[in-house]
Amino acid sequence: MENFTFYAPTYFAFGKDTENDTGKYVKRFGGSRVLLHYGGGSVIRSGLLDRVKKSLDGEGVSYVELGGVKPNPRSGLVYEGIDLCRKEKVDFVLAVGGGSTIDSAKAIAAGAVYDGDFWDYYEGKLVEEALPIGTVITISAAGSEGSPDSVITKEEGMFKRGATGEAFRPKFTIMNPALTQTLPAYQTACGITDIMAHLYERYLTNTEEVEVTDRMIEGLLLTMIHEGPRVIADPDNYQARANIMWAGMMAHNNSCGVGRTQDWTSHNIEHELSALYDCAHGAGLAVVMPAVFTYTLEHNVMRFAQAAVRVWGCQMDFADPKRTALEGIEALRNFLISIGMPKNFAELGAKEEDIEKLAHTCCYGDVNTGTVEGFATLDQKDVENIYKLMVF
Amino acid sequence: MENFTFYAPTYFAFGKDTENDTGKYVKRFGGSRVLLHYGGGSVIRSGLLDRVKKSLDGEGVSYVELGGVKPNPRSGLVYEGIDLCRKEKVDFVLAVGGGSTIDSAKAIAAGAVYDGDFWDYYEGKLVEEALPIGTVITISAAGSEGSPDSVITKEEGMFKRGATGEAFRPKFTIMNPALTQTLPAYQTACGITDIMAHLYERYLTNTEEVEVTDRMIEGLLLTMIHEGPRVIADPDNYQARANIMWAGMMAHNNSCGVGRTQDWTSHNIEHELSALYDCAHGAGLAVVMPAVFTYTLEHNVMRFAQAAVRVWGCQMDFADPKRTALEGIEALRNFLISIGMPKNFAELGAKEEDIEKLAHTCCYGDVNTGTVEGFATLDQKDVENIYKLMVF
């Protein structure tokens, strides 16, 4: 295990009706003038936004509103939010929605107190200062509710990039699993896939002897395998949604990623797909992961065999561990298909003729410099080959 | 899953040589005048205390010292510490040692800013205010380094009781696994047992459908089963100690205990043993757990069968789940014996003729009122029967 620091000071209020305490938590964490940031119709239609406003009103917390966050959130709205925060002297940013809304809120919170262009943070500058952030989440997926990360797409060039820093950790997060019950099955499945990707990206490590985090990741993956099909079969299953929601947070607050190198190759390769085709991030990951894992398998066969046996219940082939490893990857693919995820480029809406461009942007975009560094080191040719594995 | 809140804002610095940053962290979390609290010879002999002092000096942080913490820390030293803090205008309490030292430091930190008797907290008053606390831990066991809990023994009557409250969560904790390498094997094994007890006490729940926390607990138990024998066989195995250390923190910061009722029967029943015989807490738990689990098995056979299959690798007897459940308890007992723990009253130094007194104090001590409430509800007769199971 490598040396590390871990600090996850987000306050979580979990369970039924907890959104009615939003105002109380904003106040506890120092907010008096809030930017209320959200996406589109669903938080309005469901009445959630009204309940949150009522709770703010009840505590005498004032707010200005900025809706309109889209999946794969864009830089344009971030700039708008930053201006609004400055003009309205906002001291707290509250995101009501999913990962996109939270990520957009984080970008605004950092930009509002930064003299330069907020995009600097998405080109590698560490986020050390931001307005305090709170979240009321409506989908289990991104893990952004407990993480120091944010991903934004720059409209000019359609670059999708991440920023990180402790100032991005929400002060509080309200997690009511019932709020996710109205999600379409497809979005629920995308969320499940994203959570599983966050786990696999940590699992695929080059650090040896990290049993504790291996076992935690395996436990969380087993939870997804247990609860995923239950919630797809019965969208009103509160208990399944509750288990998925807590697993989603634990998957990404890094308590199971500490002290080990991490992969993030699948996220890197997927980001180009959702940036170009505007497909759902989770759907992209469902197509990307089996391809990446198959391609990088030889880098450490035993690691994939371990996942196959411990997570997917495969029998170890002691004479041919690679067969077991591949069986585990196939089990993952079949699981994702079973919950309604696409399996290839065609189902995702991606085009074979774009592969060279996708691979080039991935390797030479404004962050990477010729290779994708992760579990294995990949150059543009490798990334092209991986995209090709998604065409079948 | 039940509604819950979760807040674990301790900053962890983990790895080799991290104790040299102690001064930096004390300063970051607002300390300028420190009570340096520790136990006895080992932190002095190993040079750890000197390294910590050097680090405080380097940051211009002044300190007063209070050593002498004993296992099963006593109220007498706590009162002494409280007086010292007031006299010396201390603004930060730094514990250098194991769970006993941390628990004693927490009691002092609360008492120093409280007008009444600090023991009020150990009789049920919630700890809402305390001086900030930092820790440099030297044993993986108590989990006190990341928890809001503390256990103290009141010398008058030898009552061993716990207190809790968010103010008891350390601001920072320094975890260098190498510091545990000089521990005698017996103490290492006691720590392993304590960690496993913290996991079992959460596992034994009456809440249904808590797959995520079940799986996390199982993963952490599997880690202990993997790493325990490695570290007993090779005390210098840094990696095994690192895995145990992080597992010990995760086992007790409650991220795997949220949203479910917990047991704590074994801790309740053990506390009487270590209070009366001054045996090591972990050693007591090794004797207590198999007895408690065997006695309460019928309360939920399937829960014990699940642990047997998922944690201990037993084959499920579908015709007789109770047989599987018992096999899992036997596997736990044999594991604890294999790492050097005592198995019965005689090996622990406990006496059969004290059983009635032990059970009475447990059920009618200054906290419980006739029963021990946990996984199952037990009266004095039940507790006597459980103690009797430890005599064989």
Side-chain angles (χ1 to χ4, degrees):
Chain A
M1 202 182 301
E2 299 171 5
N3 280 18
F4 65 85
T5 61
F6 177 75
Y7 188 44
T10 300
Y11 187 103
F12 296 98
F14 189 105
K16 290 174 182 160
D17 303 323
T18 44
E19 68 272 21
N20 297 326
D21 293 328
T22 308
K24 188 178 86 181
Y25 291 117
V26 167
K27 227 168 145 178
R28 180 184 300 182
F29 290 98
S32 61
R33 177 79 174 148
V34 166
L35 176 72
L36 187 54
H37 197 38
Y38 52 91
S42 69
V43 298
I44 298 168
R45 277 196 308 277
S46 69
L48 172 61
L49 201 65
D50 279 341
R51 292 201 296 284
V52 168
K53 287 178 183 176
K54 196 176 156 199
S55 167
L56 294 173
D57 290 338
E59 297 288 334
V61 172
S62 72
Y63 52 87
V64 289
E65 296 183 43
L66 181 64
V69 183
K70 298 263 185 307
N72 303 314
R74 306 297 172 88
S75 52
L77 194 67
V78 172
Y79 288 114
E80 205 177 313
I82 291 169
D83 289 344
L84 193 59
C85 283
R86 288 174 178 166
K87 192 178 127 222
E88 295 284 343
K89 303 201 188 323
V90 158
D91 61 13
F92 197 100
V93 181
L94 179 65
V96 180
S100 298
T101 303
I102 300 172
D103 282 6
S104 182
K106 287 178 175 182
I108 292 169
V113 293
Y114 177 57
D115 285 338
D117 183 347
F118 91 91
W119 191 254
D120 293 351
Y121 292 120
Y122 293 77
E123 286 185 335
K125 186 178 160 70
L126 193 69
V127 186
E128 294 186 288
E129 209 186 346
L131 291 176
I133 299 151
T135 86
V136 180
I137 68 167
T138 56
I139 178 171
S140 304
S144 191
E145 68 273 12
S147 85
D149 308 311
S150 161
V151 176
I152 298 288
T153 299
K154 188 179 188 175
E155 276 148 321
E156 185 186 307
M158 294 308 274
F159 291 125
K160 188 169 179 174
R161 295 290 173 254
T164 191
E166 288 303 330
F168 266 179
R169 289 218 195 247
K171 297 295 177 197
F172 73 83
T173 280
I174 287 173
M175 310 173 89
N176 177 356
L179 297 179
T180 71
Q181 282 173 216
T182 54
L183 277 177
Y186 186 77
Q187 278 187 42
T188 298
C190 285
I192 290 167
T193 308
D194 196 14
I195 292 169
M196 293 178 81
H198 292 155
L199 293 164
Y200 263 103
E201 301 275 29
R202 291 180 166 87
Y203 198 72
L204 297 175
T205 183
N206 294 311
T207 312
E208 292 183 352
E209 298 188 281
V210 284
E211 185 76 2
V212 61
T213 37
D214 272 4
R215 287 291 189 183
M216 286 170 66
I217 294 169
E218 289 158 3
L220 293 167
L221 281 168
L222 285 160
T223 303
M224 302 312 291
I225 294 168
H226 180 79
E227 300 294 13
R230 289 215 306 160
V231 80
I232 295 299
D234 174 14
D236 291 332
N237 189 326
Y238 175 88
Q239 295 300 343
R241 290 197 179 269
N243 279 284
I244 289 170
M245 190 170 257
W246 192 242
M249 195 290 288
M250 289 303 305
H252 207 41
N253 86 337
N254 213 33
S255 50
C256 59
V258 291
R260 50 196 290 152
T261 66
Q262 302 182 8
D263 185 6
W264 301 101
T265 301
S266 293
H267 270 72
N268 256 304
I269 289 179
E270 192 292 315
H271 281 173
E272 304 312 328
L273 297 175
S274 49
L276 187 63
Y277 307 111
D278 216 17
C279 57
H281 174 52
L285 285 167
V287 175
V288 167
M289 278 194 288
V292 170
F293 299 169
T294 303
Y295 194 82
T296 57
L297 176 68
E298 297 283 359
H299 181 69
N300 187 342
V301 169
M302 279 305 188
R303 183 132 286 270
F304 285 101
Q306 181 179 307
V309 171
R310 291 186 180 176
V311 176
W312 296 103
C314 302
Q315 289 295 309
M316 178 68 183
D317 186 334
F318 292 91
D320 186 1
K322 189 176 165 184
R323 198 175 72 85
T324 306
L326 281 166
E327 202 180 317
I329 296 169
E330 208 47 35
L332 168 65
R333 188 202 306 271
N334 290 335
F335 175 83
L336 296 173
I337 293 170
S338 79
I339 60 170
M341 287 288 93
K343 66 175 179 294
N344 56 25
F345 252 39
E347 290 185 13
L348 195 65
K351 298 195 184 87
E352 192 173 355
E353 58 264 34
D354 293 333
I355 284 181
E356 200 185 327
K357 184 171 83 178
L358 287 164
H360 184 81
T361 317
C362 187
C363 293
Y364 295 93
D366 59 352
V367 172
N368 296 327
T369 53
T371 55
V372 175
E373 303 288 339
F375 185 51
T377 297
L378 307 171
D379 62 18
Q380 186 178 332
K381 200 79 221 158
D382 293 317
V383 175
E384 280 178 26
N385 288 334
I386 287 169
Y387 282 123
K388 283 178 189 161
L389 286 178
M390 304 175 208
V391 182
F392 59 88
Chain B
M1 203 181 302
E2 300 171 6
N3 279 19
F4 64 85
T5 60
F6 178 75
Y7 187 46
T10 301
Y11 187 103
F12 296 99
F14 188 106
K16 290 174 181 161
D17 302 324
T18 43
E19 69 271 21
N20 297 325
D21 293 328
T22 308
K24 189 179 85 182
Y25 291 118
V26 167
K27 230 167 141 177
R28 180 185 300 181
F29 290 98
S32 61
R33 177 79 174 148
V34 166
L35 176 72
L36 185 54
H37 197 39
Y38 52 91
S42 69
V43 298
I44 298 168
R45 277 196 309 276
S46 69
L48 172 61
L49 200 66
D50 279 342
R51 293 202 296 284
V52 168
K53 287 178 184 176
K54 196 176 156 196
S55 167
L56 294 173
D57 290 339
E59 297 288 335
V61 171
S62 72
Y63 52 86
V64 288
E65 296 183 43
L66 180 64
V69 182
K70 298 263 186 304
N72 304 313
R74 307 295 172 89
S75 51
L77 195 67
V78 171
Y79 288 113
E80 205 178 314
I82 291 169
D83 289 344
L84 193 59
C85 283
R86 289 175 178 167
K87 192 177 126 221
E88 295 283 344
K89 304 203 187 319
V90 157
D91 60 14
F92 197 99
V93 180
L94 179 64
V96 180
S100 297
T101 303
I102 299 171
D103 283 5
S104 182
K106 288 178 174 181
I108 293 169
V113 293
Y114 177 56
D115 285 338
D117 183 347
F118 91 91
W119 191 253
D120 293 351
Y121 292 119
Y122 294 76
E123 285 185 335
K125 185 178 162 70
L126 192 69
V127 185
E128 294 186 288
E129 208 187 348
L131 291 177
I133 300 152
T135 85
V136 180
I137 67 165
T138 56
I139 178 171
S140 305
S144 190
E145 68 274 13
S147 85
D149 309 309
S150 160
V151 176
I152 298 287
T153 299
K154 189 179 189 177
E155 276 148 320
E156 185 186 307
M158 293 309 274
F159 290 127
K160 189 170 180 175
R161 295 288 173 257
T164 192
E166 289 303 329
F168 266 178
R169 290 222 195 244
K171 297 295 178 196
F172 72 83
T173 280
I174 288 175
M175 309 173 91
N176 177 356
L179 297 179
T180 70
Q181 282 174 214
T182 54
L183 276 178
Y186 186 77
Q187 280 187 39
T188 299
C190 284
I192 290 168
T193 308
D194 196 14
I195 292 169
M196 293 178 79
H198 292 155
L199 293 163
Y200 263 103
E201 301 274 30
R202 291 179 165 88
Y203 198 72
L204 297 175
T205 184
N206 293 312
T207 312
E208 291 183 353
E209 298 188 282
V210 283
E211 185 76 2
V212 61
T213 37
D214 271 5
R215 287 292 189 184
M216 288 171 65
I217 294 169
E218 289 159 1
L220 293 167
L221 281 169
L222 284 161
T223 304
M224 302 312 291
I225 295 168
H226 181 78
E227 300 295 12
R230 290 216 306 160
V231 80
I232 295 299
D234 174 14
D236 291 333
N237 191 324
Y238 175 87
Q239 294 300 343
R241 289 194 181 272
N243 279 284
I244 290 171
M245 190 171 256
W246 192 243
M249 196 289 288
M250 289 303 305
H252 206 42
N253 85 338
N254 214 32
S255 49
C256 59
V258 291
R260 52 196 288 153
T261 66
Q262 302 183 6
D263 185 6
W264 301 100
T265 301
S266 293
H267 269 73
N268 255 305
I269 288 179
E270 192 290 317
H271 280 172
E272 304 311 329
L273 296 175
S274 49
L276 188 62
Y277 307 112
D278 215 17
C279 58
H281 174 52
L285 286 166
V287 175
V288 166
M289 279 193 288
V292 169
F293 299 170
T294 304
Y295 195 82
T296 57
L297 176 69
E298 297 284 0
H299 182 68
N300 187 343
V301 169
M302 279 305 186
R303 184 131 284 268
F304 285 102
Q306 181 179 307
V309 171
R310 291 185 180 177
V311 176
W312 296 104
C314 302
Q315 289 295 310
M316 179 68 182
D317 186 334
F318 292 90
D320 186 1
K322 189 176 165 184
R323 197 175 73 84
T324 306
L326 281 166
E327 203 180 317
I329 296 169
E330 208 47 33
L332 167 66
R333 188 202 306 271
N334 290 334
F335 175 84
L336 296 173
I337 293 170
S338 80
I339 60 170
M341 286 287 93
K343 66 175 182 292
N344 56 25
F345 252 41
E347 290 184 13
L348 194 66
K351 298 195 185 85
E352 191 173 355
E353 58 264 34
D354 293 334
I355 283 180
E356 199 186 326
K357 184 171 83 178
L358 287 163
H360 184 81
T361 317
C362 187
C363 293
Y364 293 93
D366 60 354
V367 172
N368 296 326
T369 52
T371 55
V372 175
E373 303 287 336
F375 185 51
T377 296
L378 306 171
D379 62 18
Q380 185 177 333
K381 200 77 219 160
D382 294 316
V383 175
E384 280 177 28
N385 287 335
I386 287 170
Y387 282 124
K388 282 178 189 162
L389 286 178
M390 304 176 208
V391 182
F392 57 87

